[in-house]
Amino acid sequence: MMRKKASQLLQQIIFVGPSTVFFILIVAAPFVLGLYYSLTSWNGISRQADLVGVSNYLHIFTRDLAFRNSFVFTAKFTLFSVLLTNVTAFILAYLLTKPFRTRNVMRTVFFMPHVIGGLLLGFIWQFIFVRGFSSIGEWTGLSFFQLPWLGTESTSFWAIIIVFVWQNAGYLMVIYISAMNNVPKNLMEAAQVDGAGKRQVLGKIIVPLIMPAVTVCLFLAISWSFKLFDLNLSLTKGGPFKSTESVALNIYNEAFNISRFGMGSAKAILFFLIVAVISMLQVWATKRKEVEM
Amino acid sequence: METAKRYNGKIVLVELLIIFGGLLFLVPFYFLLVNSLKSFGEILTDAAGWPSAFQWENYAGAWEKTSFPKAFGNSLLITVLSNLLLVLMCAMAAYRMARRPTWFNRILYMAFVAAMLIPFQAIMIPLVKVTSVLGIMNSRTGLILCYLGFGAPLTVFLLHGFVKSVPLDIEEAGRVDGCSPYGIFFRIVLPLMQPIAVTVVILNTLWIWNDYLMPSLILQKPELFTIPIETFAFFGQFTKQWDLALPALVLGITPIVIFFLFMQRYIIDGIAQGSVKG
């Protein structure tokens, strides 16, 4: 009996131990430490972190205009990017489940930007907005390409949206395609026999049956948009005049550029709360729309 | 989804439309490649056109100035080791958590799942402190350890879902035949987990290879830089020197694009599967 217990304990340690240790050291402990730092005026260098209570939070809510602006930017960005990425992905998936000859090649093409990663994509597009678009503008005379894309507040907002949709639509497309492939064919054929038009099949059969995919895709798009960082850093650096500074970039600058680790931690905790609440609300809302087969 | 429709005229038309859309989608890569082979003057005067002469020396310059082979080696080493350790370690944990749902394991699993909601920005500030206290700052090993910790929640979650779908009978048969608990895991369950392991490795590879923020906080010595930080540092130094910057970008994206083109079937299937579980 004792030996069995000891063997179970040993198994528990060997199997679960390593991931638990790393999880605690890299995620759990820093998270708790962050809660503590958020109540201090720590600058990241001094040995001692002075407790200042909730004054960091008060400052963020009452006086920190830059943070408020970054939050408004991120919220607005998330709204548009989630919508546009999902609509694009859905249309691509709907078309690429048709019996095309080039189906697999086209899927690969639309997925490709996602594998490259936001930082490098941001630099590539920086070139395209600065030099490429103006060159196309000269050729075609279209005013769309002659805008100062990264130079004004409103155009750089849309510049990031364009790159974000280009980067991520293909990923969500893959998820929508696999969900659409799982919709039973006989159900759609039955509907067509009953005289349902294309629009009805789409709205009454396909969309309800792929709601789990919608849940996942909205969740991913919201969390990617809210955590916008790499693309933001390399494409606009938050400019012009901080107008495109995302919350994640604002926190980064607060901590590592002006060395206010305490204030940065408070922002990070708020950021976590916002991301968690929005994600859970969204999953709860779309889960209710899922139907059982 | 595909009903038994013939490949008729209307479909051909839609297909041509989507091919056109796909070509538009690739235009940024055209701009990147074509301009990486132009002289600086030509980039400024005619960015859209074909190069009048290929300037291969642009690449030689970028290759030298970015010390590309070193950055590639670092990225490769960090991605491969992180992936192997992460998948093995998390497979063991997920297996135990799924098969022995004691109160302790259930709470631990819930903590892992809940932690998936934590954005990296919410832990990065204290993490800098923790890593320097642990003495793993400024080392590739340290960065790998960080990936093991931060990647564990999602990896455990995906693998846990899979273990629950593996029938217990197989394990019992192994036990009857005299297999030890470790033997059952390593010789029976782990090989069965291969399909989900592929998915997990793909998801983690895309994330770790492209990650900028974590390595930029952990690695400060230039000889340890991965491709994203090397690229970022390079851009800071050679802003707007497009005849160097563009070939550097091409070099930076080439490895992952090649990897993708070879593995694209697995990658696309893996993401589809991962999303069903996630």
Side-chain angles (χ1 to χ4, degrees):
Chain A
M1 200 55 198
M2 275 292 278
R3 261 185 65 189
K4 203 168 171 211
K5 246 189 168 164
S7 143
Q8 277 299 335
L9 185 66
L10 188 67
Q11 279 179 55
Q12 174 78 16
I13 291 169
I14 289 177
F15 278 95
V16 182
S19 17
T20 310
V21 168
F22 289 119
F23 174 70
I24 289 172
L25 282 180
I26 307 298
V27 182
F31 186 70
V32 176
L33 212 55
L35 281 171
Y36 166 71
Y37 285 152
S38 77
L39 304 173
T40 70
S41 60
W42 190 42
N43 60 11
I45 305 154
S46 64
R47 284 174 152 253
Q48 214 189 324
D50 293 323
L51 270 173
V52 292
V54 292
S55 77
N56 287 337
Y57 291 96
L58 283 177
H59 179 89
I60 294 167
F61 281 118
T62 55
R63 280 203 295 261
D64 197 326
L65 269 177
F67 186 74
R68 199 178 305 167
N69 289 342
S70 74
F71 182 75
V72 171
F73 165 78
T74 307
K76 213 170 100 187
F77 174 80
T78 303
L79 190 72
F80 284 105
S81 66
V82 168
L83 207 70
L84 290 172
T85 315
N86 276 282
V87 169
T88 313
F90 187 90
I91 294 172
L92 288 176
Y94 184 67
L95 293 174
L96 287 173
T97 41
K98 291 191 185 305
F100 291 155
R101 303 258 155 97
T102 56
R103 200 166 62 178
N104 289 334
V105 179
M106 295 321 290
R107 287 179 186 178
T108 306
V109 164
F110 288 111
F111 185 81
M112 180 116 101
H114 191 91
V115 302
I116 292 169
L119 193 93
L120 276 76
L121 289 184
F123 284 131
I124 295 174
W125 275 89
Q126 202 192 347
F127 174 74
I128 288 165
F129 283 126
V130 173
R131 304 261 22 118
F133 270 25
S134 65
S135 182
I136 301 178
E138 276 165 37
W139 273 28
T140 59
L142 292 172
S143 58
F144 176 86
F145 293 106
Q146 289 165 335
L147 295 171
W149 275 96
L150 300 179
T152 70
E153 295 188 10
S154 59
T155 47
S156 42
F157 175 81
W158 289 104
I160 306 178
I161 298 255
I162 291 172
V163 185
F164 185 90
V165 173
W166 182 73
Q167 178 189 15
N168 296 313
Y171 193 100
L172 302 187
M173 169 197 79
V174 168
I175 297 171
Y176 281 127
I177 286 177
S178 87
M180 287 178 187
N181 282 336
N182 287 332
V183 174
K185 278 179 210 161
N186 53 15
L187 217 61
M188 284 191 287
E189 275 157 18
Q192 274 160 355
V193 169
D194 288 348
K198 269 197 176 145
R199 193 169 294 177
Q200 276 174 308
V201 172
L202 189 68
K204 298 253 162 74
I205 295 177
I206 298 178
V207 172
L209 284 178
I210 65 162
M211 273 317 278
V214 176
T215 303
V216 171
C217 287
L218 284 178
F219 177 83
L220 287 174
I222 290 175
S223 91
W224 290 335
S225 306
F226 236 93
K227 293 187 222 163
L228 177 72
F229 181 81
D230 290 17
L231 201 61
N232 200 195
L233 184 69
S234 60
L235 192 59
T236 64
K237 276 212 170 85
F241 312 115
K242 292 205 163 205
S243 60
T244 62
E245 189 183 57
S246 67
V247 174
L249 190 58
N250 180 279
I251 295 171
Y252 178 85
N253 288 333
E254 184 80 59
F256 300 109
N257 283 350
I258 52 178
S259 286
R260 295 203 293 189
F261 277 47
M263 186 66 77
S265 298
K267 288 181 173 183
I269 298 297
L270 284 177
F271 183 48
F272 158 72
L273 286 175
I274 294 165
V275 172
V277 167
I278 292 179
S279 305
M280 286 191 300
L281 278 179
Q282 175 265 316
V283 170
W284 172 78
T286 42
K287 276 252 184 228
R288 293 194 321 165
K289 294 231 154 58
E290 289 179 13
V291 286
E292 291 289 327
M293 276 284 285
Chain B
M1 185 64 189
E2 319 134 40
T3 36
K5 264 190 218 142
R6 266 162 293 121
Y7 191 68
N8 54 29
K10 208 173 141 204
I11 293 232
V12 175
L13 212 70
V14 181
E15 177 159 17
L16 286 176
L17 209 72
I18 201 130
I19 291 175
F20 178 71
L23 289 175
L24 272 183
F25 221 73
L26 293 178
V27 164
F29 295 113
Y30 165 80
F31 269 96
L32 175 68
L33 287 173
V34 155
N35 286 293
S36 72
L37 289 164
K38 287 180 192 167
S39 69
F40 188 67
E42 204 184 351
I43 295 174
L44 294 187
T45 52
D46 180 23
W50 195 252
S52 56
F54 292 123
Q55 309 278 325
W56 294 107
E57 60 270 26
N58 289 355
Y59 277 86
W63 178 276
E64 242 171 70
K65 290 211 167 68
T66 57
S67 34
F68 176 78
K70 178 210 70 191
F72 173 74
N74 286 335
S75 276
L76 191 67
L77 184 80
I78 287 163
T79 308
V80 169
L81 284 180
S82 303
N83 260 307
L84 286 178
L85 294 171
L86 197 53
V87 92
L88 179 68
M89 176 183 101
C90 292
M92 294 174 76
Y95 168 71
R96 178 81 185 174
M97 285 175 180
R99 289 294 189 239
R100 295 265 163 186
T102 58
W103 64 267
F104 178 83
N105 279 344
R106 269 197 301 236
I107 289 176
L108 193 63
Y109 178 68
M110 267 157 57
F112 272 71
V113 172
M116 289 196 296
L117 285 172
I118 299 178
F120 181 68
Q121 278 84 7
I123 57 164
M124 69 181 176
I125 298 168
L127 184 64
V128 172
K129 176 85 177 168
V130 169
T131 47
S132 66
V133 167
L134 294 173
I136 53 171
M137 257 296 191
N138 240 331
S139 80
R140 282 170 293 216
T141 317
L143 183 60
I144 291 170
L145 298 184
C146 287
Y147 282 131
L148 296 188
F150 196 68
L154 179 70
T155 310
V156 165
F157 176 69
L158 291 171
L159 297 172
H160 186 270
F162 185 84
V163 172
K164 284 208 292 193
S165 72
V166 175
L168 264 172
D169 310 4
I170 311 173
E171 286 174 52
E172 263 152 30
R175 196 166 300 130
V176 170
D177 288 345
C179 218
S180 76
Y182 304 100
I184 289 174
F185 175 75
F186 283 103
R187 288 157 72 178
I188 301 174
V189 181
L190 193 60
L192 285 174
M193 287 168 91
Q194 199 201 331
I196 189 75
V198 170
T199 300
V200 165
V201 166
I202 284 165
L203 291 175
N204 285 335
T205 301
L206 290 182
W207 158 57
I208 294 172
W209 181 274
N210 289 321
D211 190 26
Y212 164 76
L213 190 46
M214 183 123 67
S216 78
L217 295 177
I218 305 286
L219 308 173
Q220 264 111 40
K221 284 190 222 150
E223 67 266 27
L224 301 178
F225 282 3
T226 59
I227 286 180
I229 355 178
E230 186 74 52
T231 310
F232 190 79
F234 190 75
F235 260 79
Q237 205 181 343
F238 296 98
T239 326
K240 305 289 184 294
Q241 241 183 292
W242 295 116
D243 54 335
L244 274 178
L246 295 177
L249 279 177
V250 176
L251 290 176
I253 69 172
T254 303
I256 192 81
V257 168
I258 291 176
F259 171 76
F260 168 61
L261 292 179
F262 272 104
M263 304 276 292
Q264 50 113 349
R265 168 134 307 162
Y266 299 99
I267 291 176
I268 286 181
D269 286 352
I271 281 158
Q273 272 167 11
S275 75
V276 178
K277 301 268 176 200

